[in-house]
Amino acid sequence: MATFLNLLIVGLATGAIYALIALGYTMVYGIIELINFAHGDIFTLGTFVTIAILSALGVTAANPPSVMSWVLVSELALACIGSFLFCAVLGVVIERVAYRPLRNAPRLAPLISAIGVSLVLQDVGKLWFGDTNVAFVSLPIGVVHTGLIDIDVINIFVLVVAIVLMVALHLLVTRTRIGRAMRAVAQDRDAAALMGVNVNLIIGFTFFVGAGLAGAAAFIYSLKFPNTYFYLGFQQGLIAFTAAVLGGIGNLVGAMFGGLLIGLIYSLVTLIPPTVLPHGGNAWNNAVIFAILILILVFRPSGLFGQNTPEKV
């Protein structure tokens, strides 16, 4: 029971990171119907920016802090904000350079452009930090002792930060003027433009927020996991994309729920013993996740929260 509860908490924390990344996929698809394959690589660069900012402040993996202090907390906050803003601006630049000129082109053109941008960002990461694992800073964060299990404080922190960001996004989209404009553009771009909505601005803002959430996810990923590498975003992006499809691509609540569910499945699969699956469930995490993606695409392409809608012309 203790092992199950520990894996449950770890799965929720990991799923919260997937949910933040999945929100970027679902926001972009919801507003321009494009699968932004570069999104995962924006996440990767966010992890590199986090390391670079902390290193500039003297917080490195080679010289980790021994105690938590308000100075360290402020440095972590600065790294989080820096990663968010860097990724957000990068997302806007990518939209302006690689996607906007192809907005009215055949659908294959922006898809190929997205794959090209993804490869470029991977090479940028490789040139920046090399093609080997890059260690994150190990923080002096303890555990919370309960009667049954010990909970890592970092898992609680990841969940709290992710939930705050997801609630903030939900309120932004449903309770603000710019959120109404985003929903209008997603529903009918031409009609929104006739009603005075600046479509280019709204699409750019959507990329800003979606990529910024990937930057925030990169920061909390750096706190929970030991290292990063230039190819990290490809794998994490595919898992987050699976979460978005599972919840219903284009549906924000679906992306949140899908991310948490995928994180739980990814974690709990490790309980499967080697007598059931060769080498145990830990060797089959990715296979299970992508099998879910295939099944969803075959039997319920609209996802758990999505609705079958006619294709936009």
Side-chain angles (χ1 to χ4, degrees):
M1 178 58 71
T3 302
F4 174 79
L5 291 176
N6 270 317
L7 288 175
L8 197 66
I9 294 170
V10 170
L12 285 172
T14 305
I17 297 175
Y18 292 148
L20 288 177
I21 304 173
L23 284 169
Y25 282 109
T26 209
M27 288 178 69
V28 169
Y29 183 85
I31 204 162
I32 61 172
E33 295 188 337
L34 168 70
I35 303 299
N36 182 15
F37 283 108
H39 189 65
D41 302 291
I42 294 174
F43 165 81
T44 301
L45 293 184
T47 64
F48 289 162
V49 169
T50 298
I51 293 174
I53 292 176
L54 290 177
S55 297
L57 296 173
V59 183
T60 64
N63 185 29
S66 57
V67 294
M68 289 295 293
S69 65
W70 286 111
V71 173
L72 179 58
V73 171
S74 63
E75 290 170 340
L76 292 173
L78 187 61
C80 180
I81 295 170
S83 179
F84 181 96
L85 291 177
F86 174 86
C87 292
V89 172
L90 179 60
V92 173
V93 171
I94 290 172
E95 188 277 330
R96 182 65 184 86
V97 173
Y99 300 152
R100 187 179 299 182
L102 301 174
R103 193 174 295 165
N104 297 317
R107 285 194 173 187
L108 188 60
L111 184 65
I112 294 174
S113 179
I115 295 173
V117 172
S118 173
L119 295 174
V120 169
L121 295 182
Q122 287 179 24
D123 282 345
V124 168
K126 190 191 302 184
L127 289 172
W128 191 0
F129 276 89
D131 58 358
T132 58
N133 288 342
V134 183
F136 291 125
V137 178
S138 178
L139 298 176
I141 300 177
V143 297
V144 175
H145 301 284
T146 65
L148 184 59
I149 59 173
D150 295 333
I151 305 174
D152 287 338
V153 174
I154 190 61
N155 287 326
I156 299 174
F157 176 79
V158 167
L159 277 171
V160 170
V161 172
I163 290 172
V164 168
L165 289 172
M166 287 187 281
V167 170
L169 175 64
H170 182 72
L171 293 176
L172 171 70
V173 173
T174 59
R175 301 291 180 88
T176 67
R177 184 175 181 180
I178 195 167
R180 288 194 295 271
M182 291 169 67
R183 286 181 280 134
V185 172
Q187 186 173 8
D188 192 320
R189 195 186 309 166
D190 294 332
L194 290 173
M195 296 301 293
V197 176
N198 188 331
V199 173
N200 287 332
L201 177 64
I202 295 302
I203 293 176
F205 180 77
T206 301
F207 272 84
F208 181 89
V209 175
L213 289 175
F219 168 76
I220 58 179
Y221 182 95
S222 73
L223 301 183
K224 179 171 172 56
F225 293 93
N227 52 57
T228 182
Y229 52 97
F230 79 98
Y231 205 62
L232 174 71
F234 179 76
Q235 180 181 4
Q236 300 300 314
L238 284 178
I239 296 174
F241 174 68
T242 302
V245 172
L246 175 62
I249 192 76
N251 187 300
L252 295 181
V253 175
M256 299 175 195
F257 179 83
L260 293 173
L261 185 58
I262 288 294
L264 286 173
I265 294 171
Y266 198 90
S267 180
L268 294 177
V269 164
T270 59
L271 290 174
I272 300 176
T275 54
V276 178
L277 287 175
H279 309 293
N282 199 42
W284 291 82
N285 303 72
N286 291 330
V288 170
I289 296 302
F290 296 124
I292 291 173
L293 174 60
I294 294 171
L295 292 174
I296 288 292
L297 290 174
V298 171
F299 294 106
R300 189 173 172 82
S302 60
L304 298 178
F305 289 81
Q307 296 179 346
N308 290 317
T309 57
E311 185 175 348
K312 297 177 184 178
V313 179

